[in-house]
Amino acid sequence: MASFTSPHTVDHYLEHLHPMLTVGLVRARVVRVLRETGDASTVELRTNGVWRGFKPGQHVQFGIEVNGTRRIRCFSISSSTAGKKKLFSVSVKAHPDGFVSQFLHNELQPGTLVHLSQAEGDFVLPRQVPDHLVLASGGSGITPVMSMLRSLRDSNHQGAVVFLHYARSKSDEMFSRELDEISSAMPNVTVQRIYTREPEVGAALAGRYSVDHLKHLGIDPASTLTYVCGPSGLISSMRETYDEMGASAMLQTEYFKVPSIDVHAADATGTLSFEIAGSDAPNSGATILEQAEAAGLAPAFGCRMGVCNTCAIKKEYGAVRHVISGEINANTGETIKICVNVPVGDVTVAL
Amino acid sequence: MTYSQLEEFGAELDEIRGRILNDLGQRDANYIRRVIKVQRTFEIVGRIGIFFPFFWPVFVLGIVCLSLAKIIENMEIGHNVMHGQYDWMNDPMVDGKKYEWDIIAPAEDWKNGHNYMHHTYTNIHGMDRDIGYNLFRIDKDQPWYPNHRFNLPLAFLLMLVFEWGVMYHGLELDEYLSGNMPKKEFDVRKKRAFKKIRKQLFKDYVLYPVLSLALVPFTSWWVPLAVFGANFVVNIVRNIWTFIIIFCGHFPAEVQTFAKADAENENRGQWYLRQLLGSANINGGKVFHLLTGNLSFQIEHHIFPDIPARRYAEVAVDVHRLVEKYGLTYNSGRLSKQMGSVVRQLATLATRPEDPYQRGNSPESKALRRSKRESSRTVAELAASGGALVEAP
């Protein structure tokens, strides 16, 4: 079939008949946008048949077009695997600098076309779920473990599960009502929420994570498979606990990356990471091409003046400033000419 | 122009560029998608049409539609997408890095010869391999050799097989033979070219004719032959069209060429000026501009190669204003005028020049080249041995 449409793919033709009619590209429509809290929303999606489904804990690259440009971000799937194969949802906290998360939370309308990747990531439950399990999270890191918890509920899992969540306050917490319901309906599940800034009156546990929290809940790290997703502070202190107890292998982690951009920073900040080479270097403020060469890489280049497009590569993550136009782009997975772009803060490129 | 005027000229063009880039958005995205949709429609109608050779109006319509499809695909879509004009959309369908076009020449090698060498070193002798394509004498600064007497017939032949010429150009066989390209690199290019040739030929001359075998029992034995022939004609029509547009954009008489020394340590203004003087525009209507991929605005394209081509008409107004302000020349004309100029140029430069230094094989020319070679070798040897050109007293 591909020979008939060579050098283009079949999808190059099919998508003009109908945007959901593709054989290789995952597409979806927004079914509903639900407000979870003041700054978090859940987006329900209905995919086309290309979607292969997901495992609880995985994430997806989520692309929407705004003013002609496709904006892509990684979002964790928050729904249960039990429903229809083509339906799932992501839950997103609107980050003050996050263009896409703000757009999702404030403007996204049902019916919008979404460009997806297949579900990705190894932060997933094993096929045989053990009898003892801890699902820990902080802030918006709740989404992948919520997907796990919902899937366990829907598959009638009987093992002991501790669901430990840290939020700043009750009003910052997503899925509060559902967590209450699960807590009362499932005797094998312990739902423990800790509010770090505005603790509940009479709460047994308070403040940020410490090893006492595990002790109080009667968790033995050495024998309990633990999943943790959230800010790096939470993950590193849990990692410390598990390492000290010789239980490193029992801890599965996933960071939540939020791009931090200081567009007015006078000096170069952050790290430039070369994904393919597997190395990184402190951002020197020079163009990405020059910094890559200084790091011993040999990327393809031509004119070195932004004309010929030879040096264009994918910038996976972070923000860059165009040296001529001064424009800043913070899109995930966008093609840029590295001879005329300098990194702003942490940037990862496909070099 | 004075140096400071040139800097100002460059800054004004940079400002125009910034204004357009800031304004890019949904309308530009909708435009290229609409063009792609029209192109796909022409292609499908064309492919179906040529299956009806027993009903000639449909057959001819098929050939016309498929020709238009190939022309639009190569010009307004392929050429422009591969310049990265739509990379800002972040849509893999119009990603300059990934796009492969419907022509024999592989995108990768074409982008190197065209986007990099031709667009950076526009019209510089010895750097822009597009000057005469190593085949014609199209500029009086090129040395004349006896084979240049065939300038015109050769150009006519190249016009018919232009896509093969583009493929051969990207292969850079001459660079490999003269030892300037490592064998490894050449082998990679050769493999890429053969793969693309196989795919293109298979589709047009095997797959679709074989598919039409299904019609033979209901019609006649020669239907597959007609499909084969129609594809052949379509590819030639496209070749003729692209050849004409490209030659008219670069080789009319008044277009200037440059020596390597002219382009050393250029500032942005000088670079822009070279682009302006090194290209020519063709006047025409909206549909004409679409079919040329807006390369009828060759000057604007050379000044801003990565701005979406639909914006060139709008940019041309500003470029005109600057051309008048600084008293520069702006080469534009009807297709017939530019074509006439190209033909005259090819014919005139085919004749043996009176000046022996313009004849590449004259003793004078050879002596000149030898002395140049020797002086550069002396410099290189001195540099290698750590010596200085000027001995300290």
Side-chain angles (χ1 to χ4, degrees):
Chain A
M1 203 49 209
S3 294
F4 281 105
T5 58
S6 166
H8 307 306
T9 64
V10 180
D11 282 346
H12 277 91
Y13 294 81
L14 288 178
E15 71 161 4
H16 288 280
L17 286 176
H18 193 279
M20 295 284 269
L21 183 66
T22 52
V23 294
L25 301 163
V26 190
R27 299 268 164 90
R29 292 266 187 214
V30 174
V31 181
R32 269 198 304 174
V33 184
L34 297 170
R35 263 188 185 227
E36 297 284 354
T37 67
D39 62 356
S41 293
T42 289
V43 180
E44 289 184 6
L45 298 161
R46 184 191 305 277
T47 65
N48 64 3
V50 184
W51 176 247
R52 290 199 290 262
F54 67 97
K55 294 180 192 148
Q58 284 191 308
H59 57 258
V60 67
Q61 290 189 41
F62 184 103
I64 40 160
E65 194 174 300
V66 182
N67 195 20
T69 300
R70 188 181 301 183
R71 310 275 188 158
I72 303 167
R73 291 291 183 285
C74 270
F75 292 132
S76 289
I77 297 167
S78 57
S79 54
S80 162
T81 42
K84 284 187 184 153
K85 191 199 156 208
K86 286 185 177 184
L87 290 174
F88 74 93
S89 61
V90 296
S91 297
V92 181
K93 191 174 174 185
H95 189 266
D97 295 338
F99 182 91
V100 176
S101 61
Q102 288 284 351
F103 182 88
L104 250 56
H105 183 61
N106 299 317
E107 291 172 56
L108 190 65
Q109 295 297 320
T112 305
L113 185 75
V114 180
H115 306 265
L116 297 173
S117 67
Q118 296 286 359
E120 300 165 342
D122 307 322
F123 186 73
V124 291
L125 290 175
R127 193 167 293 167
Q128 271 291 322
V129 183
D131 278 342
H132 291 279
L133 193 65
V134 172
L135 303 176
S137 58
S140 48
I142 193 172
T143 47
V145 288
M146 192 65 194
S147 173
M148 293 177 179
L149 183 65
R150 285 168 167 165
S151 302
L152 291 172
R153 173 195 63 197
D154 296 341
S155 64
N156 219 359
H157 178 70
Q158 295 300 321
V161 178
V162 175
F163 189 89
L164 175 60
H165 178 61
Y166 295 86
R168 273 187 272 180
S169 68
K170 176 108 184 168
S171 62
D172 279 319
E173 184 184 70
M174 282 188 249
F175 319 121
S176 288
R177 232 181 55 208
E178 198 174 346
L179 287 173
D180 290 339
E181 281 167 19
I182 290 175
S183 176
S184 55
M186 297 178 72
N188 56 323
V189 176
T190 311
V191 177
Q192 179 72 56
R193 290 116 95 181
I194 302 168
Y195 304 121
T196 51
R197 288 213 186 147
E198 298 164 26
E200 288 211 312
V201 186
L205 297 173
R208 288 164 173 261
Y209 162 84
S210 79
V211 69
D212 298 337
H213 294 181
L214 293 190
K215 283 183 186 155
H216 177 86
L217 292 163
I219 297 163
D220 171 23
S223 64
T224 316
L225 186 58
T226 302
Y227 289 81
V228 57
C229 178
S232 55
L234 170 68
I235 291 177
S236 56
S237 27
M238 277 192 88
R239 159 89 38 223
E240 243 167 62
T241 306
Y242 278 68
D243 286 351
E244 272 169 25
M245 303 203 174
S248 321
M250 300 304 278
L251 188 68
Q252 304 286 318
T253 61
E254 180 137 288
Y255 286 95
F256 246 61
K257 273 191 192 170
V258 179
S260 56
I261 308 159
D262 180 5
V263 296
H264 303 296
D267 297 318
T269 59
T271 306
L272 179 59
S273 307
F274 306 108
E275 196 179 43
I276 298 166
S279 62
D280 49 34
N283 174 15
S284 70
T287 62
I288 296 175
L289 176 58
E290 284 164 357
Q291 296 199 45
E293 286 170 342
L297 304 180
F301 67 86
C303 65
R304 298 185 87 103
M305 57 189 286
V307 169
C308 74
N309 222 36
T310 305
C311 67
I313 55 150
K314 275 262 183 281
K315 180 208 70 194
E316 303 292 358
Y317 169 80
V320 293
R321 180 192 286 116
H322 195 281
V323 294
I324 297 165
S325 70
E327 200 179 327
I328 290 179
N329 278 312
N331 240 333
T332 297
E334 84 186 321
T335 303
I336 58 161
K337 294 176 201 146
I338 55 174
C339 71
V340 286
N341 275 291
V342 294
V344 182
D346 292 338
V347 170
T348 305
V349 291
L351 274 177
Chain B
M1 271 172 109
T2 65
Y3 192 82
S4 67
Q5 270 182 320
L6 265 170
E7 279 199 330
E8 197 189 318
F9 176 67
E12 289 200 61
L13 284 167
D14 274 342
E15 194 241 300
I16 295 168
R17 178 189 159 80
R19 204 184 65 220
I20 301 282
L21 288 181
N22 276 331
D23 190 45
L24 294 182
Q26 198 64 53
R27 283 189 310 140
D28 302 270
N30 291 347
Y31 170 80
I32 192 64
R33 292 200 176 118
R34 200 163 59 238
V35 170
I36 292 173
K37 200 166 215 161
V38 166
Q39 188 272 335
R40 302 286 190 256
T41 309
F42 273 135
E43 186 172 355
I44 290 164
V45 170
R47 291 267 174 223
I48 295 171
I50 59 170
F51 271 49
F52 291 85
F54 38 84
F55 185 50
W56 70 265
V58 174
F59 185 63
V60 171
L61 179 79
I63 290 178
V64 171
C65 284
L66 200 51
S67 301
L68 287 171
K70 287 227 179 198
I71 285 170
I72 296 172
E73 200 280 338
N74 287 173
M75 307 293 268
E76 183 73 340
I77 304 170
H79 170 269
N80 292 336
V81 163
M82 286 193 284
H83 265 290
Q85 291 182 359
Y86 298 96
D87 280 4
W88 56 273
M89 285 171 61
N90 213 17
D91 178 347
M93 294 292 195
V94 290
D95 184 342
K97 273 283 151 189
K98 285 191 199 151
Y99 199 86
E100 183 62 78
W101 55 349
D102 187 8
I103 181 173
I104 295 280
E108 199 59 40
D109 300 317
W110 176 80
K111 280 190 280 191
N112 179 54
H114 180 83
N115 287 8
Y116 170 42
M117 290 201 278
H118 171 59
H119 272 274
T120 311
Y121 305 114
T122 309
N123 287 16
I124 299 175
H125 283 283
M127 296 181 91
D128 180 359
R129 300 180 71 255
D130 283 17
I131 302 178
Y133 298 98
N134 287 339
L135 193 59
F136 312 114
R137 183 160 178 258
I138 193 72
D139 186 88
K140 67 174 178 359
D141 292 336
Q142 281 174 279
W144 180 91
Y145 289 96
N147 61 309
H148 288 140
R149 279 178 303 216
F150 306 107
N151 250 357
L152 266 179
L154 272 177
F156 183 76
L157 282 179
L158 177 69
M159 177 170 77
L160 300 181
V161 297
F162 193 55
E163 62 175 325
W164 294 88
V166 177
M167 180 274 294
Y168 182 77
H169 188 60
L171 206 56
E172 298 193 27
L173 176 66
D174 49 320
E175 288 289 300
Y176 168 63
L177 292 179
S178 62
N180 292 331
M181 187 196 289
K183 185 169 170 13
K184 226 171 99 185
E185 166 69 16
F186 180 71
D187 285 344
V188 169
R189 291 188 185 207
K190 203 169 66 180
K191 217 173 133 189
R192 201 153 42 207
F194 275 126
K195 193 175 161 201
K196 187 77 191 288
I197 292 170
R198 256 198 325 273
K199 280 187 161 183
Q200 291 291 108
L201 294 185
F202 181 71
K203 178 179 75 163
D204 280 348
Y205 301 121
V206 180
L207 204 55
Y208 282 102
V210 164
L211 193 66
S212 68
L213 278 175
L215 291 173
V216 170
F218 311 103
T219 53
S220 188
W221 60 270
W222 51 265
V223 169
L225 282 180
V227 171
F228 182 99
N231 279 330
F232 187 75
V233 171
V234 162
N235 281 325
I236 288 192
V237 169
R238 181 267 318 272
N239 287 346
I240 293 174
W241 179 256
T242 45
F243 173 93
I244 289 175
I245 298 307
I246 288 159
F247 271 57
C248 286
H250 290 297
F251 302 137
E254 299 83 12
V255 169
Q256 294 185 26
T257 57
F258 306 87
K260 272 184 200 173
D262 297 337
E264 271 163 19
N265 303 317
E266 268 182 337
N267 66 13
R268 244 185 128 66
Q270 282 168 296
W271 186 83
Y272 278 133
L273 183 64
R274 184 156 52 80
Q275 304 302 326
L276 170 72
L277 301 177
S279 340
N281 281 11
I282 314 167
N283 302 337
K286 272 212 159 109
V287 174
F288 176 74
H289 292 314
L290 168 72
L291 293 178
T292 67
N294 277 293
L295 294 179
S296 40
F297 292 103
Q298 191 69 241
I299 293 172
E300 286 72 21
H301 172 57
H302 261 273
I303 292 176
F304 303 121
D306 58 352
I307 283 181
R310 72 178 281 263
R311 299 294 192 125
Y312 290 152
E314 162 189 353
V315 170
V317 178
D318 293 303
V319 174
H320 256 297
R321 182 172 50 79
L322 292 181
V323 161
E324 277 178 19
K325 181 176 166 186
Y326 293 99
L328 301 165
T329 51
Y330 188 90
N331 187 335
S332 67
R334 292 192 318 276
L335 184 64
S336 55
K337 179 202 150 198
Q338 303 292 44
M339 196 63 214
S341 181
V342 171
V343 172
R344 262 197 312 282
Q345 187 81 339
L346 281 168
T348 318
L349 294 171
T351 55
R352 187 169 176 271
E354 286 304 315
D355 181 357
Y357 281 102
Q358 290 193 350
R359 297 199 296 263
N361 54 353
S362 68
E364 291 88 342
S365 252
K366 280 178 179 162
L368 189 69
R369 279 200 298 276
R370 197 179 314 121
S371 74
K372 268 189 188 162
R373 244 191 341 262
E374 271 161 12
S375 69
S376 71
R377 192 181 303 144
T378 322
V379 172
E381 275 166 7
L382 271 168
S385 64
L389 282 177
V390 183
E391 293 285 329

